[in-house]
Amino acid sequence: MRELIGHELYKIFRQKSIYLMSLFLLAIIVFFLLQMRGPSLNFLYQKWEGPVSSQDIEKAIKEDKIIINKQEQGIDITWEELKLRNVYSDINDIGRYKTIQEEKLKVLNGKISKFENDGDLGYQYRKLKLEKEMLKDVKFSTLYYQRPAEQMNEYLNTFGLIFVGALIIFGLSSIFTREYTTGVDNYMLSSINGRKKIVHAKIIASLIFVAVVTLISVIFDLMFWNIMDGNDGWHADIHSIEKYWDSPYSFTLLSYFFIQVAYQLFAGFAFTLFVLFISAISKNSLVSFIICSFVFAFPLAVETFIPYDMQWFFNILKFTYTEIMLVDVLFKDFFTINVFGYPILLPIFVIGFLVAISIIVVILLYRVIANKQVPS
């Protein structure tokens, strides 16, 4: 079995296309990241880092107004003063979030009381109670210079997603079809090792390939931002990024980074099994490549071109391979699935969903190979 896995790994990694695609993608990624890097502002944040009090917020607002007044009066301000406005804005955001959180809890308490008074303690009541308990655990009250950690997290949702997804498609969409086109399927389907063992080997080798690609992506991400802007901000709360203000999850950027990597890898494995299945039922590598590319790119295209009022459609997209690999879709807000009257958090539900879908895909994959006729 080890020899079979080693042979399948060799066939995957000897493909020149994956190296050419890797270099092309990394060159594009580096180009765009260099446009985003900017100078480090760590020295401006050092004076303000730590727990933010109401006095700190008042002082930041006051000093920010001084700079604004200078601009309005046509007085030139220094680069440092301009960038200090970023610091003051982040401090003010902590105060704004606290106000928003208190209002959310107040609204939730009102809704919960109404359900209790009506005696309706079903799914909606349990959902509100869960959201309240989770929201109470969020403690966004400390300022950090978080740009490096924030960018390392954001990479996974953008360039990292594209890098891993593209290499899965380029490296694996022809894993079975190239056997058909080269005539190796004659050996594969009549091998003394058995069809199941060969499929086992291809699956294991493919998953190893995806793990290696994901590891390369993560190492590149960490190295780039460490070189460009240091290694600060890991202890910052995810709510320091405004798109997570509706999130009930109390993660630091460090814990969230590991969660993102784990989910992206897990979803990448699930997508890989789907790619193998498509490759197994396709006799043409181009057809397999097009189908896999469409499945991967469709959710991204929909988010770009479909009107935002189609919320029901976006909810369905949350269960696609691509959206789960994005990860932030799962954690940006409070979203639950009704399972027998009990709310199951979306990030938990999608794990079971992917496992179920993957089991079905693997069963179908083995059946397809088992039912194939040896070419005459």
Side-chain angles (χ1 to χ4, degrees), residues 82-334:
L82 180 63
K83 295 304 178 183
L84 269 171
R85 294 205 63 203
N86 294 340
V87 182
Y88 300 147
S89 176
D90 288 346
I91 294 171
N92 193 36
D93 281 346
I94 292 176
R96 287 173 54 215
Y97 180 80
K98 183 180 179 181
T99 301
I100 292 171
Q101 185 190 39
E102 290 173 350
E103 183 60 31
K104 278 184 181 178
L105 287 171
K106 182 179 177 181
V107 171
L108 285 172
N109 284 326
K111 290 180 178 179
I112 290 171
S113 296
K114 186 177 185 304
F115 277 105
E116 289 175 340
N117 292 334
D118 294 341
D120 183 0
L121 305 182
Y123 169 72
Q124 290 299 331
Y125 171 77
R126 296 187 182 109
K127 178 180 176 182
L128 292 169
K129 288 279 288 185
L130 177 61
E131 183 176 6
K132 175 188 172 182
E133 292 305 312
M134 293 180 69
L135 195 59
K136 283 166 61 179
D137 290 336
V138 175
K139 307 297 181 185
F140 173 38
S141 59
T142 306
L143 179 72
Y144 294 95
Y145 177 60
Q146 67 184 52
R147 185 168 177 267
E150 179 181 344
Q151 290 301 326
M152 291 180 209
N153 274 276
E154 287 300 300
Y155 166 90
L156 296 174
N157 296 318
T158 51
F159 301 115
L161 169 72
I162 300 300
F163 183 81
V164 174
L167 288 182
I168 289 174
I169 295 169
F170 271 85
L172 303 176
S173 63
S174 63
I175 194 168
F176 282 102
T177 56
R178 65 170 169 258
E179 312 287 26
Y180 306 147
T181 56
T182 59
V184 178
D185 59 328
N186 191 15
Y187 161 78
M188 183 181 74
L189 298 177
S190 59
S191 170
I192 58 172
N193 290 304
R195 301 184 185 190
K196 283 188 177 180
K197 283 188 177 181
I198 292 176
V199 176
H200 287 342
K202 286 185 180 293
I203 290 176
I204 294 171
S206 298
L207 297 182
I208 292 172
F209 170 74
V210 175
V212 170
V213 168
T214 302
L215 182 62
I216 291 171
S217 176
V218 170
I219 291 174
F220 168 80
D221 175 30
L222 293 174
M223 287 181 61
F224 180 90
W225 285 109
N226 266 274
I227 294 171
M228 291 295 109
D229 203 5
N231 193 39
D232 300 295
W234 291 112
H235 296 296
D237 194 278
I238 61 168
H239 298 86
S240 57
I241 304 173
E242 193 167 351
K243 73 175 179 178
Y244 294 109
W245 274 21
D246 289 328
S247 173
Y249 301 94
S250 54
F251 300 140
T252 63
L253 291 181
L254 178 62
S255 60
Y256 186 54
F257 182 83
F258 286 115
I259 289 170
Q260 283 186 293
V261 173
Y263 268 84
Q264 191 165 98
L265 181 60
F266 186 67
F269 284 163
F271 180 56
T272 295
L273 296 174
F274 172 79
V275 169
L276 296 186
F277 171 68
I278 296 300
S279 180
I281 63 175
S282 304
K283 286 197 173 183
N284 186 297
S285 295
L286 181 60
V287 172
S288 176
F289 177 83
I290 291 173
I291 293 173
C292 295
S293 298
F294 175 80
V295 169
F296 182 77
F298 179 72
L300 299 177
V302 166
E303 286 196 344
T304 304
F305 300 109
I306 296 295
Y308 285 95
D309 59 348
M310 296 181 65
Q311 190 57 49
W312 62 272
F313 195 62
F314 285 102
N315 288 339
I316 293 174
L317 290 180
K318 291 178 188 284
F319 298 94
T320 61
Y321 295 114
T322 309
E323 292 289 291
I324 299 173
M325 287 178 72
L326 272 170
V327 187
D328 65 350
V329 173
L330 306 177
F331 294 96
K332 281 197 299 187
D333 52 24
F334 181 77

Side-chain angles (χ1 to χ4, degrees), residues 17-37:
S17 61
I18 64 174
Y19 299 103
L20 293 174
M21 178 55 61
S22 297
L23 291 174
F24 173 74
L25 289 174
L26 287 176
I28 297 295
I29 291 169
V30 169
F31 172 79
F32 283 106
L33 288 180
L34 287 174
Q35 310 306 310
M36 298 163 51
R37 59 176 179 170

